[in-house]
Amino acid sequence: MKMMVLSQPIQRLLKSIFTSIRFVLPVVLVYTQQSFSCNASSSTSFSSSSTTSSFSHQNITNGSSRPTDRLRSHDHYDSRPRQRLQHAYLKQEKIQFTKTRRRRRNVQEEEEEEEIDLEYVKDYEILTSKEITEKMKLLSKSNPNLVTLQNAQEAFGLPAVGSSKDCPFDQEVIKRWGGKSSLGGCLHWFLTIYDHISHPPNSDSYAALPEVFLSGALHGDERIGPTAVIELAELLIDAAACEAMPGSQPINIDESLSDEEITGIQLDWISRERDALSCRDELKRTRGLDDVNRRWLARLVSTRRVVVVPTTNALGYFRTEREEEGIDINRDFPYDVKIAAHCMESIAARAVNEIFRQHMFQLSLTFHAGTEVIAYEWGAPTYEYDISPDDFAQKTIAKGYSRFAGHFGKTPSYPTGTMNEMVYSVRGGMEDWAYAGSWDTDRVIKCIPKVNGDYPPEKTEYNDSMLRAFNMLVETSNAKIPKKSLGTSEDVLQPDNSIGNGHIARNMRLALMAIDIVQPYVSFVGVNGVALTRDVVPLTLTFPFENEKMELKEHCIRNKAMYIPAELKEITVEWTVGGGFFVDFTNIQHANWENVQALDVGCDGTQPSEDDGDDDVLLNGGFIDEFAYVMGLTRWHAEGPDPNPDDSEVAVISHADTPRGPVFSTTINIGSTYNPGDRLVLLAKVQLDQEWYNNVSDDAKPANIGPMSHIVNARTNKAWKHESAGKIIEGRRNWYSIPLTLVIGSEDDVNDEVTELFNPLFGAQVEEEEKEESLFKTKEDFDPELEEGGNPSIMILWLLVAGVAGFILFYFIRRRKSRTHERLESDEDEFNFDSDKEHDLNLEITTIS
């Protein structure tokens, strides 16, 4: 055959053409997908696991809303092959190719990952009262669905403390409000952090949120705590707001909207997707928050309620004085106090008292300084040489706090122990009061203070539920006002001796751990090595709008879903566990969605109910129990997570999605139980820290009682039930994950996540007769004429090829004319042109026999 060597200009031309095709073709494909999306009134969906936006198309004809991925109900299953541009190249090698592609993609992302931008790293500094107040106001104004800002004066009718010369930044509020503070003074500001959209007031999930209290400074000259808790609040809110982007609240689309209006919604959605990517990149550059840590922080915001009082002693902090007008606040609570007039004298103690009366906190931290220690009960003189009935759990948690807080420079990790042992005993201490005020009633007294106006004695009468918190004392530093080694925002979640570690950074981590362990949780990580990137997303409606016809079950199915090709008869499921220390057992349960009621599996944002006589009522509801009853350790255990997350399939295939906690795994034989088109519901289940309930020392006082705290009984004692101020704590042993839907598709399907949380047309009206149709549909399902008339992407592709071919033909015609013209000129100059010397044209022809 003959091999032609083209001239350099032609080679450059062809190279440029092929390069153009290489880069233009994907753009054309994406454009045609978007064009089809617009013509079919579609929308986009966002996936945080990828650095690019992925588009999900919808049809809004007659008000319906359907994405193009094929999550099908059993009755409408259709296994015919379909053209899916984004998966066409996967059909030959299917799952293995998918794994390889993901592995390559993540390796590439790791290589391109930017280092933390030191220009934007913040050196933590002790903040003033004004700076802290301004931060709180900014957080609440910017994130009204995640943060509520109040002051105790307006909320509870308390007077301000001090004079008009104190806290001048509060005077405008005082003048506007008036009340008992007409003379001016300092207000007691506090933040309440929780997800208002996922857990609207008066909902069951709102009442059941586990609660944590953080006090920055009872003593005004001990300065680490206030800055640590307000920086922590900012970190939590920034992560949650970023994870919630580009917007997870459904938007109901009116059927009367024009195509232009719908296109406007779509363009706005694309813009918000870009903002989401930018936000996540900024968190990574400035704070070292990778995807896993950002999602973890967002989970904490969306599944807990955290009350933060940065400057608990508002006047003392403003003046940099230990006391409030001569009153030591940490001697002002009605526990182990002998004289009724010697408690609730300070406005700060009354503010804390009012807040506790509105909640049932399970964990609490109160920050101090003057030494370095984490201490727990007892601290009262009555129990000077005794331990509490909850000593085993308190000791475990305190040591966990110390490990995660870490050490830096010459500053070691926190030592731990009882307050009587490690600090000193006090009467009227906040720590013992918050722990035992509701059950050790012999030590509680009604307060009748003689200063700062009247305070009703009944305010210090407590029901059986209010005061059962682990309220640990954290002595943050030997110096009450340290001048250096405060830490930075760089890698703030790293507990080791890192450059950014310091007094403020490590106490931010300590508080984060408290928020995490307040309640157990379990979460799916991946299926067949394909990572599930969305679990708990802030600002997501737990159930549809009232005017939306979608059933709760269908909404729950959309919330977390994955396709499974029909050729896979077995699947490997991986999950992780948090919110505790020791995993007593964990396993997986599954059933066909057709046999399951939505409320039975917690689709309303609550945990499935447990009967008193049965640890696992779900088994009575048609669930199959995969007997992988295994034990393990969480990330908070002294020995670290077990099983090791680095050994998981997700760790090997999707490095960016490796969790920090243990990764458990089991194999489920779906081929013998389910059929193509079936929709499976999977639940992961876990029991944590059962030893907390069973390990009560004979030396514990009061004697002959079991654990008395909410946090121990909430995870170990099913008979435990407390209600107060509209909040509920109900004990249970089993904790369940968000339901995961697995859809068994056709052999052409690819094992991939198809969770749909973020589509702006998600709330469009669904016709009643269409409810049972497939949840995710293809373009052909929207418009059958496409199968007959052809795919618009393919047609545009042919037009592109034809255009390139025409350009090449035009080029060679012009080139030939140019050569002819050169020959004519050569003849005129009496130069011989030898047509046999092909090399004159720089076109070599080689013959190979």
Side-chain angles (χ1 to χ4, degrees):
M1 67 178 188
K2 295 183 179 181
M3 177 182 296
M4 293 189 300
V5 178
L6 301 179
S7 65
Q8 291 297 325
I10 295 179
Q11 291 180 27
R12 286 195 297 268
L13 172 64
L14 293 178
K15 181 177 179 180
S16 64
I17 291 174
F18 289 129
T19 301
S20 300
I21 294 175
R22 176 186 174 190
F23 287 101
V24 171
L25 181 57
V27 175
V28 172
L29 293 179
V30 172
Y31 173 77
T32 53
Q33 284 182 300
Q34 295 184 43
S35 299
F36 178 86
S37 174
C38 293
N39 292 335
S41 302
S42 66
S43 71
T44 61
S45 79
F46 177 75
S47 171
S48 70
S49 64
S50 173
T51 58
T52 59
S53 302
S54 60
F55 294 91
S56 173
H57 312 282
Q58 288 189 318
N59 178 14
I60 63 162
T61 305
N62 298 324
S64 65
S65 174
R66 308 289 193 196
T68 60
D69 302 283
R70 300 169 312 233
L71 185 52
R72 296 191 160 276
S73 64
H74 177 73
D75 294 337
H76 294 81
Y77 175 70
D78 182 359
S79 61
R80 62 184 177 175
R82 292 174 173 83
Q83 291 179 327
R84 300 179 65 193
L85 295 176
Q86 64 269 40
H87 288 322
Y89 60 95
L90 296 175
K91 290 186 178 180
Q92 292 182 351
E93 299 186 32
K94 296 178 182 175
I95 304 306
Q96 187 58 41
F97 191 90
T98 304
K99 294 181 178 180
T100 303
R101 177 173 59 92
R102 286 177 178 271
R103 187 183 301 113
R104 289 174 179 170
R105 182 190 65 195
N106 283 287
V107 169
Q108 182 180 2
E109 288 177 354
E110 287 184 0
E111 291 175 351
E112 296 177 354
E113 182 177 347
E114 296 183 11
E115 297 293 332
I116 294 178
D117 194 337
L118 297 179
E119 180 182 353
Y120 297 98
V121 170
K122 175 168 58 176
D123 292 325
Y124 291 128
E125 299 177 351
I126 301 296
L127 300 176
T128 66
S129 294
K130 181 179 180 180
E131 290 170 332
I132 290 173
T133 302
E134 288 175 348
K135 272 183 173 286
M136 288 193 286
K137 291 180 179 179
L138 179 60
L139 283 175
S140 63
K141 182 178 180 179
S142 303
N143 303 276
N145 287 324
L146 295 174
V147 185
T148 300
L149 176 62
Q150 298 172 279
N151 64 72
Q153 282 63 36
E154 292 182 273
F156 309 121
L158 299 176
V161 59
S163 69
S164 58
K165 296 181 180 180
D166 297 305
C167 302
F169 46 86
D170 284 340
Q171 301 317 302
E172 183 180 346
V173 177
I174 291 175
K175 291 178 181 178
R176 184 175 66 249
W177 170 63
K180 298 180 180 179
S181 305
S182 57
L183 298 180
C186 295
L187 302 179
H188 293 80
W189 295 97
F190 61 97
L191 294 171
T192 303
I193 301 172
Y194 82 96
D195 189 334
H196 298 51
I197 301 299
S198 299
H199 309 286
N202 302 319
S203 66
D204 291 342
S205 63
Y206 170 88
L209 283 174
E211 299 185 302
V212 177
F213 179 79
L214 302 177
S215 167
L218 286 182
H219 295 146
D221 61 342
E222 298 167 2
R223 313 288 282 187
I224 294 295
T227 298
V229 297
I230 193 61
E231 293 287 358
L232 167 68
E234 186 177 56
L235 179 67
L236 283 168
I237 297 305
D238 286 350
C242 191
E243 184 67 9
M245 295 171 69
S248 53
Q249 182 172 343
I251 301 174
N252 286 297
I253 301 299
D254 194 320
E255 295 180 13
S256 63
L257 289 181
S258 66
D259 290 345
E260 290 77 10
E261 291 172 318
I262 295 174
T263 300
I265 293 175
Q266 295 170 328
L267 293 176
D268 176 66
W269 187 256
I270 294 172
S271 175
R272 283 184 281 153
E273 283 185 322
R274 296 194 192 101
D275 292 342
L277 291 173
S278 175
C279 176
R280 291 161 191 183
D281 178 67
E282 181 179 356
L283 285 179
K284 184 178 294 184
R285 287 189 296 106
T286 61
R287 297 181 180 178
L289 287 186
D290 59 14
D291 291 342
V292 173
N293 277 325
R294 186 191 67 249
R295 293 169 194 155
W296 173 55
L297 296 177
R299 164 186 270 278
L300 299 185
V301 172
S302 195
T303 59
R304 279 100 170 98
R305 185 163 34 243
V306 183
V307 177
V308 182
V309 189
T311 55
T312 318
N313 182 354
L315 180 64
Y317 192 81
F318 177 75
R319 295 178 176 178
T320 317
E321 295 177 354
R322 174 184 175 88
E323 299 174 339
E324 177 193 294
E325 301 278 38
I327 303 169
D328 191 325
I329 298 170
N330 208 29
R331 311 293 186 272
D332 202 27
F333 291 87
Y335 187 82
D336 215 23
V337 174
K338 302 298 183 181
I339 302 174
H342 291 174
C343 56
M344 289 295 141
E345 294 183 288
S346 67
I347 302 303
R350 297 179 193 180
V352 172
N353 186 63
E354 293 291 345
I355 291 173
F356 269 75
R357 293 181 65 86
Q358 298 296 316
H359 298 272
M360 287 191 294
F361 297 111
Q362 296 188 46
L363 287 177
S364 174
L365 295 172
T366 172
F367 290 96
H368 290 257
T371 185
E372 295 178 2
V373 67
I374 299 173
Y376 45 89
E377 281 63 41
W378 290 110
T382 297
Y383 301 118
E384 187 170 2
Y385 303 103
D386 302 316
I387 60 175
S388 77
D390 290 278
D391 182 75
F392 186 88
Q394 288 174 321
K395 185 180 301 182
T396 301
I397 291 174
K399 290 182 177 179
Y401 287 162
S402 177
R403 286 191 298 272
F404 195 49
H407 60 91
F408 57 92
K410 296 182 180 180
T411 302
S413 297
Y414 287 122
T416 63
T418 68
M419 287 177 283
N420 283 329
E421 173 191 6
M422 304 298 291
V423 191
Y424 45 76
S425 61
V426 300
R427 297 188 186 277
M430 176 189 169
E431 297 82 11
D432 290 346
W433 165 81
Y435 168 61
S438 281
W439 57 271
D440 192 15
T441 55
D442 292 342
R443 308 276 81 75
V444 180
I445 189 173
K446 288 185 181 180
C447 298
I448 309 176
K450 303 299 184 182
V451 297
N452 283 324
D454 294 333
Y455 191 64
E458 58 268 22
K459 293 286 189 176
T460 48
E461 288 184 319
Y462 308 106
N463 62 31
D464 189 44
S465 304
M466 289 179 183
L467 302 175
R468 292 175 176 269
F470 279 1
N471 186 26
M472 293 196 183
L473 169 71
V474 183
E475 294 280 358
T476 59
S477 64
N478 293 319
K480 292 190 175 184
I481 312 177
K483 303 296 184 181
K484 59 182 180 179
S485 300
L486 300 179
T488 75
S489 62
E490 179 180 357
D491 288 331
V492 68
L493 299 185
Q494 298 300 321
D496 57 3
N497 192 17
S498 63
I499 297 176
N501 207 353
H503 291 297
I504 290 174
R506 75 166 174 173
N507 286 290
M508 290 171 62
R509 287 194 299 277
L510 192 157
L512 277 175
M513 181 178 170
I515 299 170
D516 182 273
I517 65 173
V518 71
Q519 186 177 86
Y521 60 90
V522 55
S523 173
F524 285 106
V525 171
V527 179
N528 294 333
V530 178
L532 286 159
T533 60
R534 309 300 271 180
D535 187 47
V536 174
V537 180
L539 306 182
T540 303
L541 284 176
T542 305
F543 44 85
F545 286 113
E546 292 181 0
N547 64 342
E548 203 173 68
K549 297 181 181 179
M550 185 192 306
E551 294 179 350
L552 179 60
K553 180 189 287 190
E554 292 301 314
H555 180 87
C556 196
I557 290 172
R558 290 171 180 257
N559 188 61
K560 194 175 184 69
M562 177 170 279
Y563 263 117
I564 302 296
E567 67 178 17
L568 294 180
K569 303 305 178 185
E570 291 185 343
I571 58 172
T572 300
V573 180
E574 292 179 313
W575 67 100
T576 190
V577 171
F581 291 82
F582 185 82
V583 180
D584 293 274
F585 88 83
T586 182
N587 78 333
I588 297 293
Q589 297 177 341
H590 54 92
N592 194 314
W593 262 114
E594 291 184 352
N595 304 322
V596 176
Q597 298 298 317
L599 294 179
D600 292 341
V601 294
C603 285
D604 60 346
T606 62
Q607 287 283 314
S609 61
E610 290 186 312
D611 293 338
D612 291 337
D614 189 352
D615 265 348
D616 203 343
V617 296
L618 291 182
L619 292 182
N620 300 329
F623 274 82
I624 299 174
D625 203 345
E626 292 294 329
F627 288 96
Y629 284 81
V630 294
M631 296 186 295
L633 308 173
T634 75
R635 65 182 294 192
W636 307 124
H637 196 277
E639 299 179 15
D642 183 29
N644 191 330
D646 294 336
D647 298 333
S648 67
E649 288 192 16
V650 167
V652 174
I653 298 168
S654 304
H655 297 285
D657 297 309
T658 303
R660 301 293 184 261
V663 175
F664 298 90
S665 176
T666 191
T667 299
I668 301 176
N669 187 340
I670 60 174
S672 61
T673 310
Y674 303 102
N675 301 310
D678 282 347
R679 300 190 292 183
L680 288 62
V681 53
L682 271 67
L683 291 173
K685 179 178 67 175
V686 68
Q687 286 188 9
L688 283 171
D689 301 324
Q690 300 303 298
E691 59 185 348
W692 288 2
Y693 189 81
N694 300 319
N695 282 278
V696 179
S697 172
D698 294 336
D699 298 328
K701 296 292 173 52
N704 303 318
I705 59 175
M708 302 303 292
S709 65
H710 282 314
I711 189 170
V712 170
N713 284 279
R715 67 186 64 196
T716 62
N717 181 6
K718 290 198 301 181
W720 192 263
K721 186 170 184 179
H722 287 262
E723 297 186 32
S724 181
K727 316 299 191 303
I728 298 173
I729 296 177
E730 194 166 6
R732 60 188 306 114
R733 286 196 288 264
N734 293 323
W735 299 84
Y736 294 88
S737 67
I738 292 175
L740 167 64
T741 298
L742 297 182
V743 181
I744 304 179
S746 70
E747 293 185 357
D748 292 321
D749 283 324
V750 175
N751 191 177
D752 208 356
E753 183 180 10
V754 288
T755 300
E756 188 199 343
L757 282 171
F758 308 100
N759 204 306
L761 301 186
F762 180 69
Q765 297 296 313
V766 180
E767 292 300 321
E768 198 70 35
E769 63 272 12
E770 294 179 345
K771 278 187 180 181
E772 298 302 323
E773 291 186 6
S774 67
L775 201 59
F776 296 92
K777 305 184 74 175
T778 65
K779 289 181 275 222
E780 292 86 347
D781 293 320
F782 290 127
D783 190 356
E785 294 181 1
L786 284 176
E787 293 190 3
E788 300 176 4
N791 191 311
S793 301
I794 301 301
M795 290 187 289
I796 292 181
L797 176 60
W798 278 112
L799 290 174
L800 177 64
V801 172
V804 171
F807 178 80
I808 294 174
L809 180 60
F810 173 77
Y811 176 84
F812 277 106
I813 291 174
R814 290 292 303 270
R815 183 69 176 173
R816 184 173 180 180
K817 288 183 178 180
S818 176
R819 291 295 186 183
T820 303
H821 181 71
E822 290 177 3
R823 290 175 193 168
L824 293 175
E825 289 182 348
S826 297
D827 288 342
E828 291 176 0
D829 295 335
E830 297 182 352
F831 281 92
N832 293 324
F833 181 80
D834 188 351
S835 61
D836 293 333
K837 293 181 180 179
E838 312 242 355
H839 61 274
D840 286 346
L841 297 178
N842 199 20
L843 185 63
E844 181 179 348
I845 301 177
T846 303
T847 302
I848 302 178
S849 59

